[in-house]
Amino acid sequence: MAFTLETGAGVANANSYATADEADAYFEERGVTAWTGSADVKNALLIKATDYIEIRYGNRFKGEVEFPDTPQGLSFPRTGIDGYEGIPICLKRATYEYALRALSAPLAPDAVYEANGKTLSSKRTKAGPIETDVTYTASGAGAVAPTFRPYPAADALLRPLLLPSGGNRVTR
């Protein structure tokens, strides 16, 4: 799929909230030198970041999609969020921040399971004398393995656009 920017017009096949040029300027202003690669690489990272935002937060955004009949490809633009129109700058900035993190590791990696069926949280092995330390994610009634890693700098940028925690939208 080709890189397609959401311009605020409800683009049907949009797959990114931001451009590589915008991200370049954002990181240059902040002295971040880790944002590297060709335009194609950066566009792919911005698409991954947008995908992550949609998967993690898509059902938690305030308001309603602005162009439901298009149908628009992404959750924004939206109506009903006071003080925000089109593609909010905080959403663009979160997209840049997630894209930077996607440069070094998957944003939402699959869980790692041991042969015993437990979800691996961490594993440390020492060569001599031999030592192994394994930690599993909590299990039992009510325990849920974390689905997403926290990315505080990026996550915080989206807070003004989100329903309160536990406020997932329910359609009946």
Side-chain angles (χ1 to χ4, degrees):
M1 178 186 288
F3 178 89
T4 306
L5 179 67
E6 173 52 72
T7 62
V11 178
N13 59 344
N15 57 11
S16 182
Y17 286 122
T19 67
D21 288 343
E22 293 169 331
D24 289 348
Y26 174 84
F27 290 122
E28 184 177 336
E29 289 169 357
R30 287 155 180 79
V32 176
T33 58
W35 180 246
T36 60
S38 68
D40 287 343
V41 167
K42 290 175 180 178
N43 284 341
L45 293 168
L46 291 164
I47 291 170
K48 287 178 182 182
T50 300
D51 288 346
Y52 179 79
I53 290 168
E54 290 293 304
I55 291 166
R56 183 170 180 191
Y57 295 111
N59 67 339
R60 290 195 45 216
F61 287 125
K62 295 176 183 175
E64 302 294 330
V65 293
E66 189 168 343
F67 303 101
D69 298 329
T70 303
Q72 66 187 57
L74 300 172
S75 294
F76 279 83
R78 296 181 84 76
T79 60
I81 306 177
D82 292 338
Y84 296 93
E85 294 179 5
I87 308 303
I89 190 67
C90 60
L91 176 60
K92 285 182 169 282
R93 289 178 174 171
T95 305
Y96 312 145
E97 292 289 345
Y98 288 124
L100 178 64
R101 284 144 183 85
L103 185 60
S104 60
L107 294 171
D110 291 336
V112 176
Y113 295 95
E114 291 284 279
N116 63 12
K118 293 183 179 180
T119 307
L120 182 65
S121 179
S122 67
K123 187 173 191 175
R124 183 180 65 86
T125 304
K126 185 177 174 183
I130 299 171
E131 186 177 316
T132 300
D133 184 22
V134 179
T135 306
Y136 297 103
T137 303
S139 61
V144 178
T147 305
F148 297 104
R149 293 179 181 174
Y151 299 103
D155 297 345
L157 289 165
L158 293 175
R159 278 194 204 121
L161 307 175
L162 300 175
L163 294 167
S165 245
N168 290 352
R169 189 176 320 279
V170 177
T171 306
R172 297 178 194 254

